[in-house]
Amino acid sequence: MVLLVAKISKLYSKLENLHHHHQPSQTEALSASLEGFESQVSNLLKKFQSLELEILSFSWIQQCFELISLINKAFARLVVEIEYPASSWEASSVDEYLKYSLNLLDFFNSISSSLSHLAQARLSLSHGVNLEEKSPALALKNLKPIQPFSSNKELVKEKVKEASCSGKEEVIHHALMVIEGLGYWVCGVVLSGLSGDDKIYSEVRKLGIGFVKFSSFIRLETSVYEAIVEKKSGVKEVKEVNEAVAKLVTAISGGKSSDDEAEELRKKLGVFEAQLEVFGKEVNHLFDEVLSGRNQLLNGFRQLSE
């Protein structure tokens, strides 16, 4: 009996060792979670590219901007999966996230300013079109092409930094580098397109290239760089409005009938107004979302310290 018990114990011990051998270690599990997060983000970029929208059209810009929210949600799922809430993060990661969220809010404010600039220009053009029949001279004073808008403001005050850490903290830090690099890149794309200032993109793209190594991102970034920096492209609809303005100005200045040109401009301005309104709401919504998340994090730490 003693011998049988000894044999069973020895067999159980071997099975236990075999079980632990095949069970993934915490390091393997964390690596798998991080790879899963990166795969989700890469797939989001691939899905965005598969839409085949014209780069820097308003539809493309809106879909590009939505990537920030989708990537942030993928990051939130990662935090839950590895069971590492923000209350457990080291101070460096908390500080990194707070800096990132603050930079995003600054970007959103600048994007809102660019949208306001475009809205004001649209309003002036609409006034000019309405004056086209009664007072051609006054109409010409208002029928000016939409000009680029830039605030010359440093948008990224604190850039993401490499850090030496391990375990769950390393996973969080690596994921933060990805969401920061892509978040800044997306904001740079949107702001460069709306403002017509390619210098913004030239500055911000370095952050994305530095911390996002996905092939899907590299392909996307190459196409965007060509459109913004090499071709100096702006928002497609702004170009179309300016072209319609030029046609109407030529017709009025030449003393010809300008009814067709005026109607064409009215249609384009109507579509443009709707696009500005929809995108403005999206920017405000994401601003509130990021601000709410930031405040929740800060309130959580205040409660812990009490």
Side-chain angles (χ1 to χ4, degrees):
M1 185 71 179
V2 174
L3 184 61
L4 181 60
V5 171
K7 285 183 177 179
I8 292 174
S9 296
K10 191 174 181 181
L11 177 61
Y12 181 79
S13 178
K14 285 183 178 179
L15 288 172
E16 273 288 286
N17 290 335
L18 187 64
H19 173 70
H20 286 302
H21 177 73
H22 286 288
Q23 219 177 21
S25 66
Q26 185 186 45
T27 301
E28 291 173 332
L30 290 175
S31 295
S33 293
L34 181 58
E35 287 175 7
F37 163 75
E38 291 180 333
S39 179
Q40 286 181 54
V41 174
S42 182
N43 287 335
L44 286 172
L45 296 174
K46 289 177 183 176
K47 185 177 180 181
F48 171 58
Q49 287 174 280
S50 70
L51 297 174
E52 296 184 350
L53 298 169
E54 184 175 342
I55 293 178
L56 294 184
S57 65
F58 242 107
S59 296
W60 186 92
I61 285 177
Q62 288 173 17
Q63 292 290 334
C64 184
F65 187 73
E66 287 178 10
L67 285 173
I68 295 176
S69 181
L70 295 173
I71 291 168
N72 285 349
K73 288 174 182 175
F75 175 72
R77 286 193 292 270
L78 172 67
V79 171
V80 172
E81 183 177 323
I82 66 173
E83 298 179 345
Y84 196 53
S87 57
S88 300
W89 295 1
E90 291 182 7
S92 59
S93 291
V94 173
D95 188 48
E96 193 67 56
Y97 180 81
L98 291 176
K99 287 176 182 176
Y100 167 59
S101 59
L102 185 60
N103 283 331
L104 273 189
L105 294 176
D106 279 344
F107 261 117
F108 296 162
N109 281 330
S110 294
I111 290 171
S112 292
S113 294
S114 292
L115 290 172
S116 294
H117 167 76
L118 294 174
Q120 287 289 338
R122 186 210 62 79
L123 190 62
S124 179
L125 288 172
S126 294
H127 183 55
V129 174
N130 291 334
L131 292 171
E132 171 255 341
E133 288 186 4
K134 297 179 180 178
S135 179
L138 283 176
L140 289 173
K141 288 184 179 180
N142 287 276
L143 292 172
K144 305 293 183 184
I146 299 172
Q147 298 298 318
F149 173 80
S150 180
S151 62
N152 295 318
K153 178 183 177 183
E154 185 184 8
L155 293 163
V156 182
K157 301 181 183 69
E158 297 283 348
K159 300 177 177 63
V160 61
K161 298 175 183 177
E162 294 278 4
S164 178
C165 47
S166 60
K168 293 182 178 181
E169 190 65 25
E170 184 179 12
V171 171
I172 288 298
H173 181 75
H174 185 89
L176 276 172
M177 290 170 63
V178 172
I179 67 170
E180 283 189 52
L182 283 172
Y184 294 151
W185 180 82
V186 167
C187 287
V189 171
V190 173
L191 193 53
S192 290
L194 294 176
S195 66
D197 184 359
D198 63 285
K199 291 180 182 177
I200 295 172
Y201 183 68
S202 295
E203 176 188 349
V204 173
R205 71 184 289 263
K206 299 172 188 174
L207 298 172
I209 292 174
F211 300 113
V212 186
K213 308 298 183 183
F214 314 138
S215 58
S216 54
F217 172 70
I218 293 171
R219 288 194 299 271
L220 176 61
E221 198 286 321
T222 300
S223 300
V224 173
Y225 179 83
E226 180 182 357
I228 293 179
V229 179
E230 295 180 359
K231 295 182 178 179
K232 307 291 183 184
S233 301
V235 176
K236 173 190 173 185
E237 287 77 4
V238 172
K239 283 187 171 183
E240 291 178 346
V241 166
N242 283 345
E243 288 170 358
V245 169
K247 290 179 183 178
L248 179 55
V249 167
T250 299
I252 293 174
S253 300
K256 301 176 182 178
S257 172
S258 54
D259 291 348
D260 291 342
E261 290 81 2
E263 185 58 29
E264 180 187 359
L265 181 55
R266 283 193 183 93
K267 288 180 180 178
K268 291 190 179 300
L269 289 174
V271 172
F272 192 47
E273 180 182 17
Q275 290 170 326
L276 289 173
E277 185 177 344
V278 170
F279 189 47
K281 288 180 179 178
E282 289 183 11
V283 174
N284 291 337
H285 175 74
L286 190 51
F287 183 98
D288 292 341
E289 187 178 290
V290 171
L291 182 61
S292 175
R294 178 185 170 82
N295 288 338
Q296 285 176 15
L297 181 61
L298 289 171
N299 290 335
F301 280 105
R302 288 194 191 101
Q303 291 172 5
L304 285 173
S305 63
E306 291 175 355

